[in-house]
């Protein structure tokens, strides 16, 4: 119960728990906190061994990592592992929320990653690490030996692109500032908040609180504006009521008609980027979906149209340039093939590489063929029968698939619809037909598009290290976070 709910170890000594147990089982001998601590250590060891056992047969894994500071200003680094098991299920486990005492230099962070890799016996298995865009983190991953791919979190990268594009349009920046001031007023004034709820009732609107934007999350700006527009009528009614809002305050908070119109345009611009971020942050989404999504944003949703006003045009131009640059959508060096392109090819939903030029398509296919040559098991010495069927003889043709490589056969397969939610089911059904490509698919499709799983680890840790538990020892933070995040592994 303590591990599943992230409770304090001292919970067993509380009067409420003692009273509860006296009613449920009067004869129960409540253990002391030190006994519970020892049992949690045993539980940790049991769960760790179970996860280690599941990783023993895995050839390739990807890691996500993130940093966090607790209420006690103690720094932690989280590492989450992602892999595809023998049943073609995408799994992830939190390996640690490790306390880091030293300065967050690239060398120290690299040492921490190497230590985790060694402790979990993952040497030679980690082919990718997904992380945020901090310079020290990017450099640290490059210092870790035998890690082929350093991947910047797609959600963080989109966030940077959007923040830059919003700043490039002065009117949008002004509107966001005014919107934030208005929301802040309703959050700090009980009278205004109550009046807003009454107006929402009168207008038949849902009684929803206004959302304040957060500097570290661009999508909160979208959600703030969206909520304001939905409640525009109720908000204007409250600001116009002189018994609730003074004339001077109403003037200070006023958003004029033109600004409301521009806010609606801004919401339409931000919605595709919001949806893209949500999709990329979902569980079991691999990096193979990244380039098709970014391509769609650039060439469809952010495509400049004749009816666009100057502000919309400026935003689209800026966001397009940033997306193309940061996601390297236009590569000049065609010999540079990276993990997101190979993952696309190995995803049966995107194997036609429709987001790439013909030259890049060919280069990606050649890269996959080269990787196949290096990872393919030794060819059998068994003699292949040269017998042909009667129809092959009469039509002077080879049987379909005979003497045809795995690679060529895979190219002939029809591409799945993009709405197919799980491409791993296709690979599970075709693993025996394409054994070598299936091995590559397990390697390249296990990497997530974002580092959100590691961020969620610290959401859990934040609920453990509360204001009343800010003195919790770092080793206990790691212990309780590990048990809480991986509790479902007990049922597997």
């Amino acid at each position: 119960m303590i591990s599943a709910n992230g409770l304090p170890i001292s919970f067993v000594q509380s009067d409420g728990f003692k009273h509860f147990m006296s009613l449920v089982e009067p004869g129960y001998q409540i253990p002391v906190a030190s006994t519970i601590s020892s049992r949690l250590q045993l539980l940790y060891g049991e769960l760790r061994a179970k996860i280690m056992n599941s990783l023993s047969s895995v050839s390739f894994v990807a890691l996500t990592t993130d940093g966090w500071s607790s209420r006690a200003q103690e720094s932690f680094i989280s590492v989450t592992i992602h892999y595809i098991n023998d049943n073609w299920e995408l799994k992830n486990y939190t390996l640690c929320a490790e306390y880091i005492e030293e300065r967050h230099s690239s060398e120290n962070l690299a040492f921490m990653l190497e230590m985790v890799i060694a402790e979990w016996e993952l040497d030679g298995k980690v082919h990718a690490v997904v992380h945020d865009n901090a310079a020290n983190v990017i450099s640290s991953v490059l210092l870790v030996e035998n890690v082929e791919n350093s991947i910047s979190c797609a959600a963080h990268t989109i966030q940077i692109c959007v923040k830059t594009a919003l700043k490039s349009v002065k009117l949008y920046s002004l509107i966001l500032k005014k919107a934030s001031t208005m929301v802040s007023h309703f959050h700090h004034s009980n009278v205004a908040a109550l009046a807003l709820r009454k107006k929402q009732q009168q207008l038949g609107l849902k009684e929803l609180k206004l959302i304040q934007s957060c500097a570290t999350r661009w999508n909160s700006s979208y959600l703030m504006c969206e909520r304001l527009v939905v409640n525009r009528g109720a908000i204007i009614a409250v600001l116009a009521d002189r018994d609730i809002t003074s004339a001077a305050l109403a003037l200070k908070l006023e958003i004029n008609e033109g600004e409301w119109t521009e806010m609606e345009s801004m919401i339409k611009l931000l919605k595709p980027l919001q949806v893209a971020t949500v999709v990329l942050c979902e569980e079991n989404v691999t990096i193979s979906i990244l380039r098709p999504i970014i391509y769609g944003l650039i060439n469809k949703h952010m495509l400049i149209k004749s009816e666009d006003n100057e502000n919309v045009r400026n935003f689209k131009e800026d966001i397009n340039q940033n997306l193309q640059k940061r996601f390297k959508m236009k590569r000049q060096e065609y010999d540079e093939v990276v993990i997101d392109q190979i993952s696309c090819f190995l995803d049966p939903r995107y194997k036609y590489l429709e987001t790439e030029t013909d030259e890049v398509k060919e280069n990606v296919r050649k890269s996959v063929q080269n990787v196949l040559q290096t990872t393919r098991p030794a060819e059998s010495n068994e003699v292949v029968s040269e017998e042909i069927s009667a129809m092959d003889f009469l039509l002077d043709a080879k049987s379909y698939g005979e003497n045809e490589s795995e690679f060529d056969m895979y190219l002939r397969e029809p591409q799945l619809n993009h709405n197919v939610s799980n491409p791993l089911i296709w690979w599970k059904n075709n693993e025996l037909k394409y054994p070598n490509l299936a091995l590559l698919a397990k390697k390249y499709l296990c990497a997530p598009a974002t580092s959100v799983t590691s961020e969620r680890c610290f959401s859990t840790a934040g609920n453990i290290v509360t204001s009343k538990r800010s003195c919790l020892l770092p080793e206990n933070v790691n212990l309780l976070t590990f048990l809480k995040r991986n509790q479902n592994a007990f049922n597997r």
Side-chain angles (χ1 to χ4, degrees):
M1 181 180 66
I2 287 173
S3 69
N5 293 286
L7 296 172
I9 296 173
S10 59
F11 176 75
V12 293
Q13 297 174 333
S14 66
D15 292 337
F17 181 70
K18 289 177 180 177
H19 178 65
F20 174 77
M21 290 309 300
S22 69
L23 296 175
V24 174
E25 183 55 66
Y28 178 68
Q29 183 68 36
I30 296 176
V32 296
S34 58
T35 302
I36 291 295
S37 182
S38 299
R39 290 179 182 175
L40 286 172
Q41 290 288 349
L42 291 173
L43 200 61
Y44 172 86
E46 177 188 337
L47 181 53
R48 192 179 191 280
K50 191 169 185 178
I51 295 174
M52 284 281 286
N53 183 60
S54 68
L55 294 174
S56 61
S57 60
V58 178
S59 300
F60 303 106
V61 303
L63 302 179
T64 56
T65 185
D66 194 25
W68 175 72
S69 293
S70 71
R71 288 176 176 267
Q73 295 302 306
E74 292 174 326
S75 296
F76 292 83
I77 181 173
S78 71
V79 179
T80 306
I81 191 168
H82 304 256
Y83 67 95
I84 298 171
N85 67 11
D86 292 337
N87 199 38
W88 286 92
E89 297 169 317
L90 192 57
K91 299 291 186 182
N92 71 77
Y93 294 108
T94 296
L95 299 185
C96 71
E98 199 71 44
Y99 175 56
I100 178 167
E101 206 168 0
E102 296 82 6
R103 190 167 59 90
H104 291 193
S105 66
S106 301
E107 292 76 14
N108 289 336
L109 293 175
F111 174 77
M112 293 294 293
L113 283 173
E114 288 175 341
M115 183 179 70
V116 173
I117 290 171
E119 286 181 354
W120 286 88
E121 300 177 7
L122 299 173
D123 295 286
K125 293 185 177 183
V126 181
H127 87 96
V129 177
V130 186
H131 48 77
D132 62 27
N133 287 276
N136 60 333
V137 178
I138 294 173
S139 299
S140 70
V141 175
L142 297 176
L143 293 174
V144 180
E145 293 185 4
N146 300 321
V147 174
E148 297 176 28
N149 301 284
S150 171
I151 305 170
S152 293
C153 172
H156 282 112
T157 306
I158 291 175
Q159 177 188 354
I160 292 171
C161 295
V162 172
K163 287 178 69 175
T164 304
L166 286 173
K167 287 181 180 179
S168 70
V169 183
K170 291 183 178 180
L171 182 57
Y172 288 172
S173 298
L174 175 63
I175 290 172
L176 288 174
K177 186 177 180 180
K178 283 190 172 185
S180 180
T181 302
M182 180 180 286
V183 173
S184 182
H185 166 68
F186 281 95
H187 278 191
H188 290 92
S189 171
N190 292 331
V191 174
L194 179 61
L196 180 62
R197 286 199 295 272
K198 288 181 179 179
K199 292 297 181 183
Q200 286 172 331
Q201 292 172 0
Q202 292 172 6
L203 295 173
L205 300 171
K206 290 184 179 180
E207 294 181 38
L208 299 173
K209 290 184 178 181
L210 301 182
I211 299 171
Q212 184 57 278
S213 61
C214 173
T216 57
R217 295 188 180 277
W218 74 264
N219 58 341
S220 64
S221 297
Y222 164 80
L223 296 172
M224 175 181 68
C225 292
E226 184 184 48
R227 186 65 57 85
L228 283 172
V229 168
V230 169
N231 290 280
R232 177 182 174 182
I235 291 168
I236 291 175
V238 172
L239 296 181
D241 190 336
R242 290 295 163 261
D243 293 333
I244 301 168
T245 312
S246 67
L249 182 58
L251 184 62
K252 179 183 176 182
L253 298 174
E254 182 187 16
I255 295 177
N256 62 45
E257 183 67 28
E259 290 168 342
W260 279 112
T261 302
E262 287 292 342
M263 189 185 294
E264 291 176 1
S265 297
M266 186 166 54
I267 291 170
K268 290 179 182 178
L269 282 172
L270 293 176
K271 184 174 181 179
L273 296 152
Q274 158 74 2
V275 173
T277 303
V278 170
V279 170
L280 289 167
C281 290
E282 288 177 354
E283 290 283 345
N284 300 330
V285 168
T286 75
I287 198 171
S288 63
I289 201 173
L290 178 58
R291 289 184 74 80
I293 285 178
I294 301 302
Y295 181 86
L297 289 174
I298 294 171
N299 294 282
K300 293 180 174 62
H301 299 285
M302 296 299 139
L303 193 65
I304 296 174
K305 300 176 182 177
S306 57
E307 63 269 22
D308 291 340
N309 64 32
E310 184 181 357
N311 293 318
V312 172
R313 283 174 173 270
N314 289 341
F315 180 89
K316 286 183 175 181
E317 286 177 358
D318 196 282
I319 195 82
N320 274 343
Q321 289 175 4
N322 275 281
L323 289 172
Q324 288 175 0
K325 179 182 177 181
R326 292 186 176 275
F327 288 101
K328 300 178 181 177
M329 297 303 291
K330 289 186 176 180
R331 289 190 171 90
Q332 298 301 319
E333 298 178 6
Y334 292 110
D335 58 339
E336 182 191 2
V337 175
V338 291
I339 181 173
D340 50 359
Q341 293 173 314
I342 294 177
S343 298
C344 262
F345 178 76
L346 293 170
D347 188 325
R349 299 170 299 179
Y350 310 110
K351 60 192 287 287
Y352 290 165
L353 300 174
E354 291 153 340
T355 63
E356 311 292 351
T357 64
D358 290 340
E359 192 167 357
V360 173
K361 287 179 185 178
E362 183 61 27
N363 198 258
V364 172
R365 290 165 184 159
K366 285 181 180 178
S367 295
V368 174
Q369 286 178 304
N370 291 336
V371 176
L372 273 177
Q373 293 296 327
T374 59
T375 59
R376 181 176 299 172
E379 298 289 344
S380 172
N381 292 324
E382 185 177 335
V383 178
V384 179
S385 172
E386 294 295 332
E387 292 184 10
I388 61 173
S389 69
M391 288 301 297
D392 286 337
F393 172 74
L394 292 173
L395 299 178
D396 191 25
K398 294 179 180 178
S399 299
Y400 173 75
E402 187 175 339
N403 296 327
E404 190 175 26
S405 69
E406 267 189 51
F407 183 85
D408 292 331
M409 290 174 64
Y410 177 69
L411 286 178
R412 292 167 64 108
E413 292 277 3
Q415 181 170 283
L416 300 185
N417 186 279
H418 61 266
N419 286 316
V420 174
S421 60
N422 189 358
L424 300 184
I425 295 175
W426 187 92
W427 277 110
K428 181 179 180 180
N429 295 331
N430 290 276
E431 182 178 12
L432 296 179
K433 187 176 181 181
Y434 305 109
N436 298 304
L437 278 170
L439 186 63
L440 285 189
K442 280 189 174 181
K443 177 179 180 179
Y444 286 96
L445 296 181
C446 72
T450 70
S451 59
V452 72
T453 46
S454 286
E455 291 183 32
R456 287 171 182 157
C457 169
F458 287 133
S459 295
T460 300
N463 292 329
I464 292 172
V465 189
T466 62
S467 58
K468 293 183 178 180
R469 301 172 68 191
S470 59
C471 294
L472 198 63
L473 293 174
E475 54 264 34
N476 285 334
V477 175
N478 183 39
L479 170 72
L480 293 172
T481 302
F482 179 89
L483 292 174
K484 173 69 174 174
R485 291 290 300 169
N486 298 317
Q487 58 181 311
N488 291 334
F490 280 114
N491 303 320
R492 292 172 182 168

